Amino acid sequence: MPTEYSSKNILQSLSILNPELALLIQDKCIFFEQTDSTNTQAKILLSQNKANLNGTILVANSQTAGRGRLGRSFFSPQDTGIYLSVIFSTIQDLYENDATLITPKAAVAVCHTIEKFSSNKCQIKWVNDIFIQKKKVCGILTEGNINTSKKIIDYAIIGIGINIQPSKKEIPQELINIVGNAELFELDKNNFIATLLSNLFEVLKKENDKSVMDEYRNRSLVLNKIVTVISSTEKFEAKILNITEKGHLIIQRTQNNPQNLTEEIFTGEVSIRM
Ligand code: BTN
């Protein structure tokens, strides 16, 4: 009998794996059989000014309006994916002001978790996509509110969507060559999520720890590659020379750049031919 997918069973797995974290999350794990988007639900909760939302986890078995970066939608069918959001509502828990590192750190935590439950090796496409065998298996959408006057992050919502076994039949035609499958050995999603949460909180705790970005670079699909950079104003070809400690890209345009100048970018996205 498969274990029921529920907040109770996620917390039970977590209490074995990481009792301290289970204590932080205990009454704050919300499970939806279906919702529009766990990130949207997290924002609604935050707008209600409830006390102590830090560490709240929202998990859904399916989403009707899953959201991705740059206004895209995220395909979130029933049963075959993991869709969750985590709320961090105090800067203390984001450890310093490493806002730009939240997504790269979360990507490393997802890679560790998938690799614990699968024989596949994960790679990261800057900034937020996890790939296995050239197909996307996970996307991360981090949304937050930066309080510029106090120079702190009021809150961050880390939304993670992982395709674990989508059937070819249900994947929309336009996504058929894009959506991958994490091919997990064990399909106890409760245990998978408990492991993911434990890895995520551990990696977010690390301050000034070079190993996280070293690993991010080692797993990069774009480092030293020629890619198309897509910003809000232009689209051009460039070589990715480095990924900085802040998770920014150092790029060099391949055209109209006789002096081989380099640029640092931290928004937009890159596309690479697989
Ligand atoms: C991307 O691919 O650009 C990011 C996708 C992020 C999807 C997850 S699923 C859980 C959470 N809720 C959402 O609506 N989006 C994130």
Side-chain angles (χ1 to χ4, degrees), residues 92-106:
Q92 287 92 308
D93 297 283
L94 291 172
Y95 298 91
E96 265 231 84
N97 41 17
D98 276 350
T100 58
L101 289 186
I102 297 172
T103 303
K105 284 179 168 180

Side-chain angles (χ1 to χ4, degrees), residues 37-39 63 65-69 74 83-85 128-129 136 139-141 159-161:
S37 147
T38 53
N39 268 36
Q63 300 183 118
R67 297 188 286 110
R69 272 183 88 227
F74 187 79
Y83 318 109
L84 73 97
S85 302
N128 65 326
D129 291 338
K136 175 165 166 173
I140 300 169
L141 175 66
I160 301 175

Side-chain angles (χ1 to χ4, degrees), residues 145-154:
N145 193 42
I146 298 179
N147 186 327
T148 40
S149 58
K150 291 196 206 149
K151 294 208 172 110
I152 58 165
I153 303 168
D154 283 336

Side-chain angles (χ1 to χ4, degrees), residues 98-135:
D98 276 350
T100 58
L101 289 186
I102 297 172
T103 303
K105 284 179 168 180
V108 167
V110 170
C111 291
H112 285 179
T113 311
I114 293 179
E115 287 176 4
K116 184 163 178 217
F117 290 88
S118 150
S119 57
N120 288 312
K121 171 105 182 99
C122 296
Q123 288 183 290
I124 304 172
K125 184 173 86 64
W126 188 85
V127 53
N128 65 326
D129 291 338
I130 316 290
F131 276 68
I132 289 178
Q133 289 160 5
K134 302 187 176 169
K135 291 207 174 177

Side-chain angles (χ1 to χ4, degrees), residues 18-252:
N18 189 332
E20 202 187 325
L21 184 58
L23 215 58
L24 171 79
I25 294 176
Q26 52 180 343
D27 300 321
K28 296 185 284 191
C29 184
I30 303 166
F31 182 87
F32 304 91
E33 188 47 44
Q34 181 174 78
T35 188
D36 48 0
S37 147
T38 53
N39 268 36
T40 304
Q41 289 300 319
K43 281 191 177 173
I44 293 173
L45 263 185
L46 283 158
S47 71
Q48 294 164 349
N49 289 324
K50 289 200 175 121
N52 197 18
L53 290 174
N54 184 45
T56 302
I57 314 296
L58 301 99
V59 179
N61 193 30
S62 72
Q63 300 183 118
T64 52
R67 297 188 286 110
R69 272 183 88 227
L70 308 171
R72 298 201 185 106
S73 59
F74 187 79
F75 173 58
S76 315
Q78 190 183 24
D79 297 332
T80 63
I82 285 176
Y83 318 109
L84 73 97
S85 302
V86 182
I87 299 178
F88 293 93
S89 65
T90 55
I91 185 61
Q92 287 92 308
D93 297 283
L94 291 172
Y95 298 91
E96 265 231 84
N97 41 17
D98 276 350
T100 58
L101 289 186
I102 297 172
T103 303
K105 284 179 168 180
V108 167
V110 170
C111 291
H112 285 179
T113 311
I114 293 179
E115 287 176 4
K116 184 163 178 217
F117 290 88
S118 150
S119 57
N120 288 312
K121 171 105 182 99
C122 296
Q123 288 183 290
I124 304 172
K125 184 173 86 64
W126 188 85
V127 53
N128 65 326
D129 291 338
I130 316 290
F131 276 68
I132 289 178
Q133 289 160 5
K134 302 187 176 169
K135 291 207 174 177
K136 175 165 166 173
V137 295
C138 168
I140 300 169
L141 175 66
T142 305
E143 299 182 290
N145 193 42
I146 298 179
N147 186 327
T148 40
S149 58
K150 291 196 206 149
K151 294 208 172 110
I152 58 165
I153 303 168
D154 283 336
Y155 67 81
I157 301 164
I158 305 179
I160 301 175
I162 306 174
N163 308 317
I164 50 173
Q165 42 168 206
S167 93
K168 284 259 180 324
K169 269 192 270 152
E170 58 187 2
I171 301 176
Q173 195 54 38
E174 68 276 16
L175 296 180
I176 211 98
N177 293 320
I178 299 171
V179 175
N181 177 350
E183 291 173 356
L184 307 182
F185 302 136
E186 180 194 307
L187 281 175
D188 180 1
K189 291 186 245 174
N190 304 300
N191 191 24
F192 182 92
I193 290 181
T195 309
L196 176 58
L197 293 173
S198 185
N199 288 342
L200 181 66
F201 279 74
E202 283 310 307
V203 79
L204 285 170
K205 261 199 268 186
K206 292 189 178 173
E207 263 183 61
N208 302 321
D209 180 339
K210 263 184 85 327
S211 67
V212 180
M213 282 315 289
D214 282 345
E215 177 166 357
Y216 186 87
R217 282 185 280 266
N218 283 335
R219 292 181 179 275
S220 176
L221 263 176
V222 300
L223 195 56
N224 298 318
K225 301 270 168 40
I226 307 270
V227 303
T228 304
V229 177
I230 305 151
S231 78
S232 55
T233 51
E234 55 180 340
K235 190 171 169 180
F236 57 89
E237 206 177 73
K239 182 167 182 187
I240 309 294
L241 301 182
N242 203 357
I243 303 174
T244 69
E245 288 305 304
K246 285 195 172 301
H248 300 176
L249 291 180
I250 305 293
I251 63 162
Q252 188 171 56

Side-chain angles (χ1 to χ4, degrees), residues 5-21:
Y5 190 22
S6 66
S7 48
K8 179 170 150 266
N9 287 331
I10 293 169
L11 282 168
Q12 186 155 13
S13 293
L14 191 60
S15 63
I16 298 165
L17 263 177
N18 189 332
E20 202 187 325
L21 184 58

